[in-house]
Amino acid sequence: MGNKRIRKNPVRPMRISDIAELAGVSNATVSRVINGFSSVNEDIAQRVRDIIKEVGYVPSQTARSLSLGASQTIGVVVPDLSNPMYHAVLRGVHRAAAADGYRVLVADTLEETQGEAAVALDIRHRTDALVLIAPRMTRPELLALLMRVHPAAVINRTTGENAVVARVDYEAGIQTLADHLRGLGHTRIAFLSGPEHSRSNHDRQRGLETYRAAHPEVEIVDIPTGSGFDDGHRSWEAVREFGATAVMAFNDLVALGLIGRLTEEGVRVPDDISVAGFDNIPFARYSSPALTTMAVDLGEVGASAWRDLKQEIEGIARREATVFTPELEARASTGAKPLRDEI
Amino acid sequence: MGNKRIRKNPVRPMRISDIAELAGVSNATVSRVINGFSSVNEDIAQRVRDIIKEVGYVPSQTARSLSLGASQTIGVVVPDLSNPMYHAVLRGVHRAAAADGYRVLVADTLEETQGEAAVALDIRHRTDALVLIAPRMTRPELLALLMRVHPAAVINRTTGENAVVARVDYEAGIQTLADHLRGLGHTRIAFLSGPEHSRSNHDRQRGLETYRAAHPEVEIVDIPTGSGFDDGHRSWEAVREFGATAVMAFNDLVALGLIGRLTEEGVRVPDDISVAGFDNIPFARYSSPALTTMAVDLGEVGASAWRDLKQEIEGIARREATVFTPELEARASTGAKPLRDEI
DNA sequence: CTGAAAGCGCTAACAC
DNA sequence: GTGTTAGCGCTTTCAG
């Protein structure tokens, strides 16, 4: 690489001045052509375009971003990329943003609360706006962060005035589900609660408190469980001990785990016990029996966050939270309360 | 922004010269402190650090990238973000790259072959390197592209010398699976093939051709099916018509779809018929019966691609493809061939 | 050990 | 219509 002769496989990428030189015009003219300013003589414009195509020139987005003060890129901060729920949101954000010509920089914080704000700040400084998916940090931290990263959208956390919010109303969702079971005659219901510090789990629990108050005749017990298949699988003893005729799992995975165990134990679903999940994962409708669950289109949540965020980027303020309420998908895993508890 | 007075809520982000001014030093010194050059007097360095922390200054990564000619960012081009398989690879790449201080820009090409190369080029021009996950474009297009985006890693496509390659050996994997079934006594096996243009499907089919040649006593028929649950569900008639005692599905979803149908039809798995999947999705071990399938750690494929790519970025050439061979996860959905075909 | 100044590649006034 | 030029914010020789 030491010698000066032009190499066959050019090391230094083309830049705008190379094109300008080849076309015998100025950088500014090339820039105008690239950006479609009509003020350029058509002949010249065509010549420039031809040369660009011929040599395969692609402008440096970095330089462009620096000059423009905008990168047409947004950052998305995810607590855990391996969680399909967040993944669905990411996809929704991505598609919506891509349709508007924005690229997406992702950062997985690996559930580590401490580095979260730092990652967000770093990412924000390479992008034009931020989407925070279910941030884990404390509320004061979040508010302080939002102050500094505006414009930003926050998913599944409430904020002050400083960010766009899109969220799922788990509180209402779980009540809808409880009501579904009550309608089937169940009055002893187990809720297999999720991770201790999960906000969406808290929301469900709060919803159930409200529900208990409104319907004192139905007894709902909280059984700390977890969020995975195995957790559901393991929960059977506790469920049996309580004598539940119906179970609401923290999510579909837990529900399916429990159903798997029930099958092993020879307990029939829903004849002996009803089991419902939450989230409506793709597999839910194919399990046997098909799983009753609460559905919310997370892709749409992400897309909505992007739309509102775009408004912010463009300076059009729009600050009411967009709330998505999960809908009941009643399937075969829930049914009428058995006449006698003969489990 | 017309008036000159300093605004209370600063619109213009801090820049390095602001810090320099506050600290009474030059930009260069601030830069040195930020980048940890030890040559700076410790007192000054500390003062600068304090100020940076106090005012919450974060350097513009864009400017830094332009100046350095590197962005510490890689691009990942995915054909379809909603596909959990690609998603797993993305996650692997992301984690490995993040551990090395690299950020990840993602682009979903939405399965649109035409724009793929253009997206890749655009992304590459904002990043230091590229990862192409199972690109759809033709081989000549791919080779031409690789020439221009180096350094790049390609997953699940073979290339010439111009890129790092990590791939899954589906050809070997399907043969392992076929052998598992043969070992159980099956000699009439159906392969529920996947999407027409899927490369991994072709690989499986080629593997089976090899297998047929080596084991003429086992009859393997190809039943065009698809890649989804419903496809598996629908495949039952064709499977029955052929009289298969064992089925290899294109993937786990198809296998589970078929099993669901079999359950509905009262056909027992594996007593009446064995069913195996491919991919080992998380749910596979929890289905009933637990699904026999071929497992490959896609996260590790992604991580491997990153490791090799990093070598390339650092100029250390390393060009043999890294091949991952799927391993058999023998579970309950496959068993000995039934003595009589009484289906 | 520190500062001045020249870029990195592109855009956008402002002239002509 | 087209060119000149001054930045965008940071890094990095090169002097001192």
Side-chain angles (χ1 to χ4, degrees):
Chain A
M1 206 171 292
N3 85 44
K4 279 239 173 171
R5 276 180 307 169
I6 295 166
R7 312 215 22 247
K8 211 47 195 261
N9 204 334
V11 188
R12 172 166 93 35
M14 285 281 166
R15 48 189 189 204
I16 202 169
S17 60
D18 295 325
I19 306 301
E21 198 169 335
L22 287 171
V25 296
S26 73
N27 291 7
T29 296
V30 176
S31 175
R32 289 183 185 110
V33 172
I34 290 172
N35 296 295
F37 285 81
S38 48
S39 70
V40 180
N41 176 304
E42 184 48 32
D43 291 347
I44 296 187
Q46 195 51 53
R47 178 148 44 96
V48 170
R49 276 189 225 103
D50 290 346
I51 292 176
I52 287 177
K53 182 158 294 172
E54 191 183 337
V55 303
Y57 164 73
V58 182
S60 155
Q61 294 301 326
T62 308
R64 193 156 197 279
S65 300
L66 182 59
S67 185
L68 252 31
S71 56
Q72 297 282 107
T73 302
I74 60 167
V76 178
V77 180
V78 194
D80 177 13
L81 258 186
S82 51
N83 184 323
M85 297 297 115
Y86 299 142
H87 181 225
V89 177
L90 169 63
R91 195 168 69 234
V93 173
H94 179 108
R95 299 220 167 165
D100 288 326
Y102 277 75
R103 318 242 77 131
V104 172
L105 192 63
V106 274
D108 182 345
T109 57
L110 307 175
E111 298 273 8
E112 284 167 23
T113 310
Q114 50 272 41
E116 217 178 12
V119 169
L121 271 165
D122 174 309
I123 290 285
R124 175 63 181 84
H125 275 77
R126 325 173 171 241
T127 56
D128 300 344
L130 219 53
V131 176
L132 300 169
I133 301 183
R136 303 307 204 220
M137 65 191 86
T138 64
R139 188 175 170 82
E141 284 174 323
L142 179 59
L143 295 181
L145 176 65
L146 289 175
M147 194 124 270
R148 301 182 54 195
V149 297
H150 179 271
V154 177
I155 292 176
N156 276 359
R157 284 288 296 271
T158 57
T159 70
E161 282 294 284
N162 240 306
V164 154
V165 170
R167 65 182 190 84
V168 176
D169 191 344
Y170 293 105
E171 221 174 305
I174 198 75
Q175 295 190 59
T176 302
L177 185 55
D179 223 50
H180 164 69
L181 295 173
R182 187 177 65 95
L184 290 168
H186 298 277
T187 51
R188 267 184 100 70
I189 304 176
F191 172 60
L192 306 182
S193 60
E196 184 83 27
H197 296 296
S198 156
R199 193 152 306 255
S200 78
N201 185 53
H202 285 174
D203 288 351
R204 288 164 171 81
Q205 289 174 319
R206 282 183 41 193
L208 290 179
E209 270 168 43
T210 308
Y211 195 83
R212 286 189 194 98
H215 299 278
E217 77 277 17
V218 349
E219 200 173 352
I220 303 177
V221 71
D222 186 304
I223 300 176
T225 305
S227 60
F229 228 94
D230 297 331
D231 300 313
H233 199 267
R234 270 194 299 272
S235 68
W236 170 228
E237 280 80 6
V239 170
R240 185 179 44 193
E241 192 174 329
F242 171 61
T245 63
V247 177
M248 299 183 285
F250 170 67
N251 63 21
D252 291 346
L253 251 47
V254 172
L256 292 170
L258 174 59
I259 290 179
R261 176 67 178 279
L262 293 173
T263 304
E264 292 169 18
E265 304 281 345
V267 180
R268 295 163 305 164
V269 178
D271 301 344
D272 298 327
I273 189 166
S274 289
V275 179
F278 207 112
D279 289 344
N280 193 29
I281 63 174
F283 190 72
R285 50 184 292 240
Y286 299 113
S287 66
S288 55
L291 187 66
T292 292
T293 186
M294 298 301 298
V296 55
D297 184 344
L298 293 174
E300 187 46 43
V301 174
S304 155
W306 163 250
R307 285 193 298 270
D308 290 347
L309 184 55
K310 191 182 169 221
Q311 303 277 62
E312 287 275 328
I313 293 176
E314 291 167 354
I316 309 166
R318 154 90 178 60
R319 291 289 171 69
E320 309 113 61
T322 306
V323 178
F324 291 80
T325 307
E327 287 176 9
L328 176 69
E329 288 286 342
R331 292 198 273 246
S333 70
T334 51
K337 172 188 173 183
L339 295 182
R340 298 167 301 169
D341 292 25
E342 56 191 43
I343 301 182
Chain B
M1 211 171 288
N3 92 41
K4 279 240 173 166
R5 276 180 306 168
I6 294 164
R7 314 222 11 249
K8 207 49 194 257
N9 202 335
V11 187
R12 170 167 93 33
M14 284 282 164
R15 49 189 187 203
I16 202 169
S17 59
D18 296 325
I19 306 300
E21 198 169 334
L22 288 171
V25 296
S26 73
N27 292 5
T29 297
V30 177
S31 174
R32 289 184 185 111
V33 172
I34 291 172
N35 295 295
F37 285 81
S38 47
S39 70
V40 180
N41 175 304
E42 184 48 32
D43 291 346
I44 296 186
Q46 196 49 55
R47 178 149 42 96
V48 170
R49 278 189 224 101
D50 290 346
I51 293 176
I52 287 177
K53 181 158 295 172
E54 192 183 337
V55 303
Y57 165 72
V58 182
S60 154
Q61 294 301 325
T62 308
R64 192 154 199 279
S65 301
L66 181 59
S67 185
L68 253 31
S71 56
Q72 297 281 107
T73 302
I74 60 167
V76 177
V77 180
V78 194
D80 177 12
L81 258 186
S82 51
N83 184 323
M85 297 297 115
Y86 300 141
H87 182 226
V89 177
L90 169 63
R91 195 167 68 234
V93 174
H94 178 107
R95 299 219 167 167
D100 288 324
Y102 277 76
R103 318 242 77 131
V104 172
L105 192 63
V106 275
D108 183 345
T109 57
L110 307 175
E111 298 274 8
E112 284 167 23
T113 311
Q114 49 272 41
E116 219 179 10
V119 169
L121 271 166
D122 173 309
I123 291 284
R124 174 63 181 82
H125 275 78
R126 325 173 170 241
T127 57
D128 300 343
L130 219 53
V131 175
L132 300 169
I133 301 182
R136 303 304 204 225
M137 65 191 86
T138 63
R139 187 174 170 82
E141 283 173 324
L142 179 58
L143 296 181
L145 176 65
L146 289 176
M147 194 125 270
R148 302 181 54 195
V149 297
H150 178 274
V154 177
I155 291 175
N156 276 358
R157 285 288 295 272
T158 58
T159 68
E161 282 294 283
N162 240 306
V164 155
V165 170
R167 66 183 190 81
V168 176
D169 191 343
Y170 293 106
E171 221 175 304
I174 197 75
Q175 295 189 60
T176 302
L177 185 56
D179 223 51
H180 164 70
L181 295 174
R182 187 176 64 94
L184 291 168
H186 297 277
T187 52
R188 267 184 100 70
I189 304 175
F191 172 60
L192 306 183
S193 61
E196 185 83 28
H197 295 295
S198 157
R199 194 152 306 254
S200 79
N201 186 54
H202 284 174
D203 288 352
R204 288 165 172 80
Q205 289 173 318
R206 283 184 41 194
L208 290 178
E209 270 168 42
T210 308
Y211 195 82
R212 285 190 193 97
H215 300 277
E217 77 276 16
V218 349
E219 202 172 351
I220 302 177
V221 73
D222 187 303
I223 299 176
T225 304
S227 59
F229 224 95
D230 297 331
D231 299 313
H233 199 266
R234 270 194 299 270
S235 68
W236 169 229
E237 279 80 7
V239 170
R240 185 180 43 195
E241 192 173 328
F242 170 62
T245 63
V247 178
M248 299 184 286
F250 169 67
N251 63 20
D252 291 345
L253 250 48
V254 172
L256 292 171
L258 174 58
I259 290 179
R261 176 67 178 279
L262 293 173
T263 305
E264 292 170 17
E265 304 281 344
V267 179
R268 294 163 305 164
V269 178
D271 301 343
D272 297 328
I273 188 167
S274 289
V275 179
F278 208 112
D279 289 342
N280 192 29
I281 63 175
F283 189 73
R285 49 185 292 242
Y286 300 112
S287 66
S288 55
L291 187 66
T292 292
T293 186
M294 297 302 298
V296 55
D297 184 344
L298 292 175
E300 186 46 43
V301 174
S304 155
W306 163 250
R307 284 194 298 270
D308 290 348
L309 183 56
K310 191 182 170 222
Q311 303 276 65
E312 287 276 328
I313 293 176
E314 291 166 353
I316 310 165
R318 154 90 179 59
R319 291 291 170 70
E320 310 112 62
T322 306
V323 178
F324 291 79
T325 307
E327 287 177 9
L328 177 69
E329 287 287 343
R331 292 199 272 245
S333 70
T334 51
K337 172 187 172 184
L339 295 181
R340 299 168 298 170
D341 292 25
E342 56 189 43
I343 301 181

